[in-house]
Every structure is written in structure tokens, then in C-alpha cells.
């Protein structure tokens, strides 16, 4: 059974809104992640002097993933949820 929201016209009309929401979220996540990655690199590089790049990445990535999933993205959604969803403050 199809509903009015399942029609091709409704699906096509919702795609620009989804792209805008994802674009706004990506923009905000970028500005939160960049300083976090930079700070972690400044902390990790002296501690991992002489390590290969893949080894440093193996330490950095789990820290970033946990930070993003549990702290950064929930904070962004809580503080900027309305902006992400509607584009308005």
C-alpha cells in the first residue's frame, strides 16, 4: 500500500531538504572536528616520535570515533538541531 508521501514527486521534493540537512551537519561537524584533530596531533606526535604513520593513526582514530559518537555529534545536534533541520536559528 502506498501513501501520498511515497509518490515519486514527494520523494523527489524531499531530496533537496535531505541534502541541505546533511550539508549543514557536515559543515558543523567539520568545524568541531578540525580543532580536535589538531589538538590530538599536537599531543600524540611527541608521545609517538619515531612511530610509523599507520601506528599513529591506529591510536588517533579510536579516540576520534569515541569523541565524535559520544560527545561532538550529540553536542552539535543538541545545540544546533533546529538550524540543522530547518536552516533557521
Amino acid at each position: 500500500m502506498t501513501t501520498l508521501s511515497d509518490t515519486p514527486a514527494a520523494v523527489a521534493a524531499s531530496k533537496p531538504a535531505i541534502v541541505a540537512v546533511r550539508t549543514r551537519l557536515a559543515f558543523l561537524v567539520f568545524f568541531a572536528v578540525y580543532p580536535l584533530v589538531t589538538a590530538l596531533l599536537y599531543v600524540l606526535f611527541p608521545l609517538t616520535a619515531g612511530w610509523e604513520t599507520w601506528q599513529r593513526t591506529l591510536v588517533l582514530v579510536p579516540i576520534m570515533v569515541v569523541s565524535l559518537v559520544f560527545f561532538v555529534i550529540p553536542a552539535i545536534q543538541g545545540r544546533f538541531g533546529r538550524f540543522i533541520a530547518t536552516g533557521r536559528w
Side-chain angles (χ1 to χ4, degrees):
M1 178 171 157
T2 62
T3 63
L4 185 58
S5 65
D6 293 337
T7 63
V11 171
S14 70
K15 285 188 181 185
I18 292 169
V19 170
V21 167
R22 289 183 179 173
T23 302
R24 286 189 289 268
L25 179 60
F27 179 75
L28 291 169
V29 169
F30 170 81
F31 281 107
V33 167
Y34 179 79
L36 183 58
V37 168
T38 304
L40 284 172
L41 289 175
Y42 275 113
V43 169
L44 285 177
F45 269 37
L47 300 174
T48 59
W51 289 22
E52 297 290 329
T53 302
W54 70 267
Q55 293 168 321
R56 289 179 173 172
T57 306
L58 189 62
V59 173
L60 178 70
V61 169
I63 296 169
M64 283 305 305
V65 169
V66 169
S67 298
L68 283 171
V69 170
F70 291 105
F71 302 108
V72 174
I73 292 176
I76 288 172
Q77 289 177 335
R79 186 163 180 94
F80 299 104
R82 181 174 162 194
F83 170 70
I84 293 167
T86 65
R88 293 183 295 237
W89 296 103

